[in-house]
Amino acid sequence: MSDKNTSDNTSDIINEKISMQEIIASAYMVNKTIGDRPIIKNLSLEVKKGKTFALLGPNGAGKTSTVRLLTGLYTADSGVVRLFGEELTKEYADEARSLIGVQNDGSLYERLSVFENLNIWGQIYEMPKTDLENRINELLDFFDLADRAKSKVSSLSKGMKQKLLLARAVLNKPKFLILDEPTSGLDPESNAKIIDYLVHLVREEAVSIFLCTHQLFGLERLIDDVAIIKSGEIIAQGAVADLIKEEFPRKDVIIKFAENPIMESILSAYNFEVLSKNEVKVELDDETAIAALVKKAVQANVDIYEVKHIEKSLNDLYFSKIKDAELNGKTKVSAEEEVSYEL
């Protein structure tokens, strides 16, 4: 049997194995200390097949360390890390990393051209020459880099480098992607295009994504599950919708109305904030309470112009959880979180 056939058969076996896994990556009670400083404390998480898991946290909170643990670049002091259903041992780490697409600055060679960068990685992945060239051209076209194929990476703008990093990460069509700020440095049009592409990978091709970011604009529609990390500890984790509902059980609505002194009396029974002489923000228990308030105002001959529900976002959840953690003394802001940058 030829080397190519052996390689193809191995790839088929690996892909079949991955397709059977519902949990692509996981950590259970993982701890890591460097020197005498604990950098990860009792980390537990799961990245599900065909879902996007976002790890959010301040700079220096432990996001890079978490990625290194998930990819075998760090060995846990205690606890278990699994990739594709197997425990991530030193012996398994190299094989596991070959199945992952990772987007980070360290995967580009500045003195080589755009095409050469992708070609080298394709050879590392042992992609057949014709398939590799077709795949490179396909990605260069998609990421609007075809006219820069011969340009050295060092000559590219930040946005172009970001596109090339993403192209490199998906070159061998991995089923698990690890992304660091995937939309950083992109213009609005490219931002939307990249997010659409990532949504397609997750929803249509069952790719799993582990995403580290602090720039949430546009990414909320991609994220299914989230963990918020601070000082090496997970302070909140779960499905985005569930966490938002849990954190903000009451509804905020903005009501615009015709000036009427009766409205002040009606609002006295509620927790409200005056935004202008004919506009207030009211906190209510649920949709039924919203309807009851509007009905009461209309019955009192107050003209209601607009009722607008304020949707809480993942951004709101993040800042609320970080603030709660600081106020409750669960974590302390370290010097690293103040000044350093991590994934």
Side-chain angles (χ1 to χ4, degrees):
M1 184 179 292
S2 69
D3 291 342
K4 180 181 184 302
N5 288 336
T6 301
S7 176
D8 288 346
N9 289 338
T10 301
S11 178
D12 289 341
I13 292 170
I14 291 172
N15 287 331
E16 182 179 355
K17 183 177 179 181
I18 292 173
S19 70
M20 295 172 64
Q21 299 298 323
E22 291 303 317
I23 304 300
I24 297 299
S26 67
Y28 177 71
M29 296 299 289
V30 169
N31 291 275
K32 180 66 179 176
T33 297
I34 293 183
D36 60 355
R37 183 169 67 94
I39 58 171
I40 295 295
K41 310 164 193 173
N42 297 322
L43 173 76
S44 294
L45 57 82
E46 290 183 341
V47 182
K48 301 168 188 171
K49 178 182 176 181
K51 300 290 183 181
T52 299
F53 187 106
L55 184 64
L56 311 179
N59 294 338
K63 299 190 292 296
T64 294
S65 299
T66 299
V67 169
R68 288 172 180 165
L69 285 163
L70 288 178
T71 54
L73 296 176
Y74 278 170
T75 301
D77 299 331
S78 62
V80 178
V81 175
R82 292 183 182 277
L83 276 180
F84 311 116
E86 289 193 29
E87 184 173 346
L88 190 59
T89 61
K90 289 182 179 179
E91 295 74 23
Y92 176 54
D94 286 341
E95 179 187 346
R97 281 194 292 271
S98 72
L99 306 175
I100 301 172
V102 180
Q103 170 253 331
N104 59 52
D105 291 339
S107 61
L108 293 181
Y109 299 101
E110 295 279 329
R111 291 182 292 178
L112 298 182
S113 71
V114 169
F115 184 91
E116 287 169 337
N117 263 270
L118 295 177
N119 191 53
I120 283 177
W121 280 97
Q123 291 178 39
I124 291 172
Y125 290 130
E126 299 182 349
M127 297 174 66
K129 184 176 180 180
T130 301
D131 292 348
L132 175 57
E133 290 182 358
N134 290 338
R135 179 63 171 162
I136 290 175
N137 289 329
E138 174 190 336
L139 291 172
L140 291 180
D141 284 338
F142 177 82
F143 287 104
D144 300 318
L145 291 171
D147 61 339
R148 302 301 299 270
K150 296 181 180 180
S151 299
K152 287 187 177 181
V153 169
S154 59
S155 71
L156 301 182
S157 67
K158 181 179 180 180
M160 288 181 179
K161 287 182 180 179
Q162 193 72 351
K163 291 178 183 179
L164 180 55
L165 285 167
L166 284 167
R168 197 222 63 78
V170 300
L171 180 63
N172 64 329
K173 299 183 179 180
K175 287 300 183 181
F176 183 33
L177 278 175
I178 295 179
L179 305 179
D180 166 27
E181 304 289 357
T183 58
S184 176
L186 298 179
D187 59 75
E189 183 179 356
S190 296
N191 185 306
K193 185 176 182 180
I194 294 300
I195 294 173
D196 284 344
Y197 179 64
L198 294 176
V199 169
H200 167 78
L201 290 180
V202 172
R203 307 289 184 254
E204 304 300 326
E205 299 185 25
V207 172
S208 303
I209 295 178
F210 187 87
L211 169 69
C212 298
T213 187
H214 65 269
Q215 299 180 3
L216 289 170
F217 177 73
L219 287 168
E220 290 199 28
R221 64 190 176 95
L222 172 66
I223 298 169
D224 300 294
D225 301 303
V226 64
I228 299 173
I229 189 170
K230 195 169 190 306
S231 299
E233 293 182 81
I234 299 292
I235 59 174
Q237 184 174 179
V240 174
D242 292 342
L243 287 175
I244 290 176
K245 186 176 180 180
E246 178 184 291
E247 186 73 5
F248 307 106
R250 293 169 67 82
K251 308 291 184 182
D252 285 343
V253 295
I254 292 177
I255 301 176
K256 291 183 180 181
F257 53 90
E259 286 187 70
N260 190 320
I262 298 175
M263 194 63 175
E264 184 176 349
S265 175
I266 295 172
L267 289 170
S268 63
Y270 300 89
N271 182 18
F272 71 96
E273 176 187 349
V274 177
L275 303 179
S276 69
K277 61 184 179 181
N278 67 335
E279 186 177 19
V280 294
K281 183 170 75 170
V282 188
E283 187 181 74
L284 298 162
D285 289 331
D286 51 33
E287 284 79 3
T288 302
I290 298 172
L293 172 56
V294 172
K295 181 179 180 181
K296 191 181 296 184
V298 170
Q299 288 177 339
N301 295 317
V302 177
D303 292 329
I304 302 296
Y305 296 149
E306 182 182 8
V307 178
K308 182 168 63 176
H309 180 214
I310 303 174
E311 294 284 350
K312 293 296 184 180
S313 67
L314 181 53
N315 208 47
D316 295 322
L317 173 70
Y318 170 76
F319 284 110
S320 180
K321 288 295 186 182
I322 291 292
K323 182 179 179 181
D324 286 348
E326 291 176 357
L327 290 175
N328 295 333
K330 291 181 180 179
T331 59
K332 296 180 180 179
V333 180
S334 66
E336 288 86 356
E337 286 177 320
E338 295 264 340
V339 302
S340 70
Y341 174 79
E342 285 196 356
L343 269 165

